[in-house]
Amino acid sequence: MTFAPPRDVTLNDCYFYHTVELPELGLIPGEWDIRGREADYVGGIDLSGKRVLEIGSASGHLCFWMEKQGAEVVAYDLDDKHEWDIVPYKKAEVAAVIEQRKQHLRRINNSWWLSHQKYQSRAKMAYGSVYNVDDSLGDFDIVTVKNMLLHLRDPFLALHRAAERCRGRIVVTELTKPFFFWNQEPIEPPSGQLYLQFLPRADRLEPIESWWFLPTATIIEILKILGFETITTNLHHQTFRDGQSVEFCTIVGQR
Protein backbone atom coordinates (compact mmCIF):
# COMPACT_ATOMS: atom_id res chain seq x y z
CA MET A 1 0.00 0.00 0.00
CA THR A 2 1.20 3.49 -0.82
CA PHE A 3 0.97 5.98 2.01
CA ALA A 4 -1.07 9.09 1.34
CA PRO A 5 0.89 12.14 0.20
CA PRO A 6 0.78 15.24 2.44
CA ARG A 7 -1.95 17.79 1.83
CA ASP A 8 -1.38 21.53 1.87
CA VAL A 9 -4.46 22.77 3.73
CA THR A 10 -5.61 25.76 5.76
CA LEU A 11 -7.72 25.96 8.88
CA ASN A 12 -10.76 26.86 6.78
CA ASP A 13 -10.44 23.53 4.97
CA CYS A 14 -10.75 21.56 8.21
CA TYR A 15 -13.23 20.05 10.63
CA PHE A 16 -11.73 19.03 13.97
CA TYR A 17 -13.09 15.89 15.61
CA HIS A 18 -10.69 16.40 18.53
CA THR A 19 -9.94 19.55 20.47
CA VAL A 20 -6.29 20.43 19.86
CA GLU A 21 -3.73 23.11 20.60
CA LEU A 22 -1.59 23.59 17.52
CA PRO A 23 1.63 25.57 17.25
CA GLU A 24 0.96 29.01 15.70
CA LEU A 25 -2.82 28.42 15.71
CA GLY A 26 -3.56 27.85 19.40
CA LEU A 27 -6.69 26.18 20.78
CA ILE A 28 -9.10 24.67 18.21
CA PRO A 29 -12.29 23.17 19.67
CA GLY A 30 -13.51 19.79 18.44
CA GLU A 31 -16.30 17.34 19.16
CA TRP A 32 -14.30 15.43 21.77
CA ASP A 33 -11.70 16.73 24.21
CA ILE A 34 -9.37 13.99 25.45
CA ARG A 35 -6.47 16.24 26.40
CA GLY A 36 -4.75 15.15 29.60
CA ARG A 37 -6.50 11.75 29.55
CA GLU A 38 -4.79 10.21 26.55
CA ALA A 39 -2.99 7.56 28.63
CA ASP A 40 -6.35 6.37 29.97
CA TYR A 41 -7.64 6.19 26.41
CA VAL A 42 -4.93 3.69 25.43
CA GLY A 43 -5.10 1.68 28.64
CA GLY A 44 -1.90 3.04 30.16
CA ILE A 45 0.34 0.88 27.98
CA ASP A 46 3.98 1.64 27.20
CA LEU A 47 4.30 3.10 23.70
CA SER A 48 8.02 3.87 23.56
CA GLY A 49 9.72 2.15 20.64
CA LYS A 50 6.50 0.46 19.53
CA ARG A 51 5.11 0.32 16.00
CA VAL A 52 1.45 1.37 16.27
CA LEU A 53 -1.45 1.13 13.83
CA GLU A 54 -4.15 3.63 14.77
CA ILE A 55 -7.42 2.67 13.07
CA GLY A 56 -9.83 5.59 12.90
CA SER A 57 -7.43 8.47 13.49
CA ALA A 58 -9.89 11.31 12.66
CA SER A 59 -8.14 14.61 13.50
CA GLY A 60 -5.18 12.69 14.88
CA HIS A 61 -4.88 14.05 18.41
CA LEU A 62 -4.16 10.61 19.81
CA CYS A 63 -1.91 9.74 16.86
CA PHE A 64 0.39 12.67 17.51
CA TRP A 65 0.26 12.15 21.28
CA MET A 66 1.39 8.53 20.83
CA GLU A 67 4.18 9.72 18.57
CA LYS A 68 5.34 12.06 21.34
CA GLN A 69 5.47 9.05 23.66
CA GLY A 70 8.03 7.45 21.37
CA ALA A 71 5.82 5.36 19.08
CA GLU A 72 6.17 4.99 15.32
CA VAL A 73 2.56 5.53 14.21
CA VAL A 74 0.73 4.62 11.04
CA ALA A 75 -2.75 6.17 10.97
CA TYR A 76 -5.49 4.42 8.99
CA ASP A 77 -8.82 6.02 8.14
CA LEU A 78 -11.59 6.50 5.62
CA ASP A 79 -11.26 9.24 3.05
CA ASP A 80 -13.77 10.69 0.60
CA LYS A 81 -13.15 7.84 -1.85
CA HIS A 82 -14.71 5.40 0.60
CA GLU A 83 -18.22 5.19 1.99
CA TRP A 84 -19.24 5.32 5.64
CA ASP A 85 -21.56 2.49 6.77
CA ILE A 86 -24.81 4.42 6.38
CA VAL A 87 -28.04 2.71 7.52
CA PRO A 88 -30.01 2.24 4.24
CA TYR A 89 -33.44 3.43 5.38
CA LYS A 90 -35.81 3.05 2.43
CA LYS A 91 -37.54 6.34 3.27
CA ALA A 92 -34.36 8.36 3.82
CA GLU A 93 -32.30 10.34 1.33
CA VAL A 94 -29.40 7.94 1.74
CA ALA A 95 -27.50 9.04 -1.38
CA ALA A 96 -27.48 12.65 -0.14
CA VAL A 97 -26.25 11.52 3.29
CA ILE A 98 -23.43 9.50 1.71
CA GLU A 99 -22.31 12.50 -0.34
CA GLN A 100 -22.46 14.78 2.72
CA ARG A 101 -20.39 12.29 4.72
CA LYS A 102 -17.74 12.18 1.99
CA GLN A 103 -17.37 15.96 2.11
CA HIS A 104 -17.26 15.83 5.90
CA LEU A 105 -14.62 13.10 5.83
CA ARG A 106 -12.40 15.21 3.59
CA ARG A 107 -12.53 18.08 6.09
CA ILE A 108 -11.69 15.70 8.95
CA ASN A 109 -8.82 14.26 6.89
CA ASN A 110 -7.62 17.83 6.30
CA SER A 111 -7.53 18.49 10.05
CA TRP A 112 -5.17 15.51 10.43
CA TRP A 113 -2.86 16.93 7.77
CA LEU A 114 -2.89 20.42 9.25
CA SER A 115 -1.95 18.98 12.65
CA HIS A 116 0.70 16.80 10.99
CA GLN A 117 2.24 19.91 9.45
CA LYS A 118 2.14 22.04 12.61
CA TYR A 119 3.59 19.29 14.81
CA GLN A 120 6.22 18.46 12.15
CA SER A 121 5.10 14.87 12.58
CA ARG A 122 6.68 11.81 10.98
CA ALA A 123 3.51 9.71 11.27
CA LYS A 124 2.21 8.14 8.07
CA MET A 125 -1.38 8.01 6.81
CA ALA A 126 -3.07 5.28 4.78
CA TYR A 127 -6.68 5.42 3.61
CA GLY A 128 -8.99 2.45 3.22
CA SER A 129 -11.81 0.38 4.64
CA VAL A 130 -11.62 -1.08 8.12
CA TYR A 131 -12.90 -4.31 6.56
CA ASN A 132 -9.82 -4.60 4.34
CA VAL A 133 -6.72 -3.41 6.17
CA ASP A 134 -4.02 -4.01 3.59
CA ASP A 135 -1.43 -6.56 4.70
CA SER A 136 1.25 -4.54 2.92
CA LEU A 137 1.18 -2.21 5.94
CA GLY A 138 2.97 -4.99 7.81
CA ASP A 139 2.55 -6.09 11.40
CA PHE A 140 2.34 -3.87 14.46
CA ASP A 141 3.23 -4.15 18.12
CA ILE A 142 0.01 -2.30 19.01
CA VAL A 143 -3.25 -1.75 17.12
CA THR A 144 -5.80 0.75 18.44
CA VAL A 145 -9.50 0.78 17.54
CA LYS A 146 -11.26 3.64 19.28
CA ASN A 147 -14.89 4.73 19.54
CA MET A 148 -15.83 3.43 16.11
CA LEU A 149 -17.37 -0.05 16.45
CA LEU A 150 -20.82 1.48 16.97
CA HIS A 151 -20.56 3.05 13.50
CA LEU A 152 -19.85 -0.25 11.71
CA ARG A 153 -22.30 -2.65 10.12
CA ASP A 154 -19.91 -5.51 10.94
CA PRO A 155 -17.86 -4.76 14.07
CA PHE A 156 -16.66 -8.36 14.37
CA LEU A 157 -15.11 -8.30 10.89
CA ALA A 158 -13.44 -4.97 11.68
CA LEU A 159 -11.85 -6.38 14.83
CA HIS A 160 -10.85 -9.53 12.95
CA ARG A 161 -9.03 -7.46 10.32
CA ALA A 162 -7.38 -5.31 12.99
CA ALA A 163 -6.24 -8.43 14.85
CA GLU A 164 -4.58 -9.79 11.71
CA ARG A 165 -2.19 -6.83 11.76
CA CYS A 166 -1.44 -7.16 15.49
CA ARG A 167 1.51 -9.12 16.89
CA GLY A 168 1.19 -7.88 20.48
CA ARG A 169 -1.57 -5.76 21.99
CA ILE A 170 -4.89 -4.58 20.64
CA VAL A 171 -6.53 -1.58 22.32
CA VAL A 172 -10.29 -1.11 21.90
CA THR A 173 -12.04 1.93 23.40
CA GLU A 174 -15.83 2.17 23.35
CA LEU A 175 -18.71 3.81 25.19
CA THR A 176 -20.07 2.03 28.24
CA LYS A 177 -23.64 2.97 27.26
CA PRO A 178 -25.33 4.45 24.14
CA PHE A 179 -25.67 7.84 25.78
CA PHE A 180 -26.66 10.03 22.85
CA PHE A 181 -29.16 7.80 21.05
CA TRP A 182 -32.41 9.23 22.46
CA ASN A 183 -31.08 8.46 25.96
CA GLN A 184 -31.47 4.73 25.39
CA GLU A 185 -30.43 2.63 28.33
CA PRO A 186 -28.49 -0.55 27.59
CA ILE A 187 -30.61 -3.69 27.55
CA GLU A 188 -29.66 -6.05 30.33
CA PRO A 189 -29.13 -9.51 28.80
CA PRO A 190 -30.09 -12.74 30.59
CA SER A 191 -27.40 -13.83 33.01
CA GLY A 192 -24.30 -15.15 31.27
CA GLN A 193 -25.37 -14.12 27.77
CA LEU A 194 -23.62 -11.69 25.45
CA TYR A 195 -25.38 -9.33 23.06
CA LEU A 196 -25.28 -6.38 20.70
CA GLN A 197 -27.93 -3.68 21.00
CA PHE A 198 -29.29 -2.64 17.59
CA LEU A 199 -29.65 1.15 17.41
CA PRO A 200 -31.42 2.14 14.14
CA ARG A 201 -35.19 2.77 14.27
CA ALA A 202 -37.31 2.73 11.10
CA ASP A 203 -39.94 5.08 12.52
CA ARG A 204 -37.37 7.78 13.31
CA LEU A 205 -34.94 7.24 10.39
CA GLU A 206 -32.12 7.54 12.89
CA PRO A 207 -29.42 7.07 13.78
CA ILE A 208 -28.32 6.94 10.17
CA GLU A 209 -24.58 6.42 10.76
CA SER A 210 -24.54 4.20 13.85
CA TRP A 211 -25.53 0.56 14.18
CA TRP A 212 -24.70 -1.14 17.45
CA PHE A 213 -23.98 -0.72 21.11
CA LEU A 214 -21.37 -3.30 22.14
CA PRO A 215 -21.07 -3.92 25.89
CA THR A 216 -17.57 -4.41 27.28
CA ALA A 217 -18.18 -8.11 27.95
CA THR A 218 -19.04 -8.70 24.29
CA ILE A 219 -15.89 -6.94 23.07
CA ILE A 220 -13.80 -8.99 25.51
CA GLU A 221 -15.29 -12.24 24.20
CA ILE A 222 -14.59 -11.21 20.59
CA LEU A 223 -10.95 -10.45 21.45
CA LYS A 224 -10.59 -13.83 23.17
CA ILE A 225 -11.99 -15.54 20.07
CA LEU A 226 -9.36 -13.69 18.03
CA GLY A 227 -6.53 -15.00 20.21
CA PHE A 228 -5.99 -12.31 22.83
CA GLU A 229 -5.78 -14.39 25.99
CA THR A 230 -4.89 -11.73 28.56
CA ILE A 231 -7.42 -8.91 28.92
CA THR A 232 -7.31 -5.76 31.05
CA THR A 233 -9.86 -2.97 31.24
CA ASN A 234 -10.08 0.54 32.63
CA LEU A 235 -12.90 3.07 32.85
CA HIS A 236 -12.35 6.74 32.09
CA HIS A 237 -14.35 9.85 31.24
CA GLN A 238 -13.92 12.09 28.20
CA THR A 239 -15.58 15.42 27.40
CA PHE A 240 -18.16 15.72 24.63
CA ARG A 241 -18.73 18.99 22.76
CA ASP A 242 -21.45 20.27 25.12
CA GLY A 243 -19.19 19.76 28.14
CA GLN A 244 -20.81 16.46 29.03
CA SER A 245 -18.60 13.91 30.77
CA VAL A 246 -18.98 10.56 29.01
CA GLU A 247 -17.79 7.21 30.32
CA PHE A 248 -15.65 4.91 28.17
CA CYS A 249 -14.02 1.57 28.73
CA THR A 250 -10.64 0.73 27.23
CA ILE A 251 -10.03 -2.97 26.71
CA VAL A 252 -6.45 -4.10 26.13
CA GLY A 253 -5.93 -7.58 24.72
CA GLN A 254 -2.50 -9.23 24.86
CA ARG A 255 -1.54 -12.20 22.69
Side-chain angles (χ1 to χ4, degrees):
M1 171 174 283
T2 302
F3 292 115
R7 296 182 186 177
D8 185 14
V9 298
T10 68
L11 185 58
N12 289 336
D13 301 321
C14 300
Y15 181 92
F16 278 84
Y17 182 76
H18 303 116
T19 295
V20 297
E21 288 191 65
L22 295 182
E24 302 176 12
L25 296 177
L27 181 68
I28 304 173
E31 291 188 34
W32 290 96
D33 189 352
I34 63 174
R35 292 174 300 156
R37 298 174 297 277
E38 297 92 346
D40 294 333
Y41 213 106
V42 297
I45 61 175
D46 180 17
L47 295 159
S48 180
K50 301 297 193 296
R51 189 168 192 252
V52 178
L53 176 64
E54 186 200 26
I55 297 178
S57 190
S59 293
H61 176 74
L62 196 63
C63 170
F64 304 121
W65 180 85
M66 291 190 292
E67 186 178 30
K68 291 175 183 176
Q69 311 312 305
E72 174 196 341
V73 186
V74 173
Y76 187 83
D77 217 337
L78 285 177
D79 66 0
D80 56 359
K81 296 180 177 62
H82 298 83
E83 289 187 9
W84 192 283
D85 276 356
I86 297 298
V87 182
Y89 296 108
K90 189 67 174 178
K91 296 180 180 180
E93 297 292 336
V94 174
V97 174
I98 290 172
E99 182 58 33
Q100 183 275 331
R101 286 302 310 178
K102 286 185 175 183
Q103 295 176 21
H104 187 58
L105 280 169
R106 183 164 186 82
R107 289 174 59 80
I108 293 176
N109 297 157
N110 287 343
S111 70
W112 192 93
W113 285 109
L114 184 62
S115 298
H116 186 273
Q117 174 193 355
K118 295 302 181 183
Y119 288 134
Q120 299 183 0
S121 170
R122 301 176 69 178
K124 295 181 172 62
M125 170 60 78
Y127 293 121
S129 168
V130 71
Y131 303 129
N132 186 27
V133 183
D134 199 307
D135 59 8
S136 68
L137 292 174
D139 294 332
F140 294 82
D141 303 302
I142 298 165
V143 176
T144 69
V145 181
K146 54 191 195 313
N147 196 25
M148 65 179 297
L149 296 179
L150 77 166
H151 295 303
L152 301 176
R153 186 193 299 244
D154 192 340
F156 187 98
L157 179 59
L159 286 175
H160 189 187
R161 294 292 180 254
E164 289 177 333
R165 303 272 57 81
C166 182
R167 61 188 175 217
R169 290 189 177 97
I170 191 167
V171 181
V172 182
T173 302
E174 282 291 320
L175 300 164
T176 59
K177 62 180 181 179
F179 81 105
F180 48 70
F181 297 113
W182 331 305
N183 298 316
Q184 289 186 80
E185 287 298 322
I187 299 169
E188 289 297 329
S191 178
Q193 293 190 18
L194 304 174
Y195 74 108
L196 280 71
Q197 183 175 343
F198 189 64
L199 299 174
R201 296 293 183 269
D203 60 339
R204 306 180 67 119
L205 303 181
E206 62 177 21
I208 201 165
E209 54 186 37
S210 298
W211 291 82
W212 308 100
F213 168 65
L214 287 81
T216 298
T218 304
I219 297 172
I220 289 173
E221 195 63 28
I222 292 172
L223 295 184
K224 287 181 177 179
I225 289 169
L226 295 175
F228 297 93
E229 298 179 357
T230 302
I231 305 289
T232 60
T233 64
N234 71 287
L235 297 175
H236 51 98
H237 286 79
Q238 305 295 340
T239 303
F240 194 48
R241 58 190 171 202
D242 59 1
Q244 184 176 1
S245 180
V246 181
E247 186 177 68
F248 285 84
C249 185
T250 292
I251 304 108
V252 179
Q254 171 74 53
R255 289 208 185 278

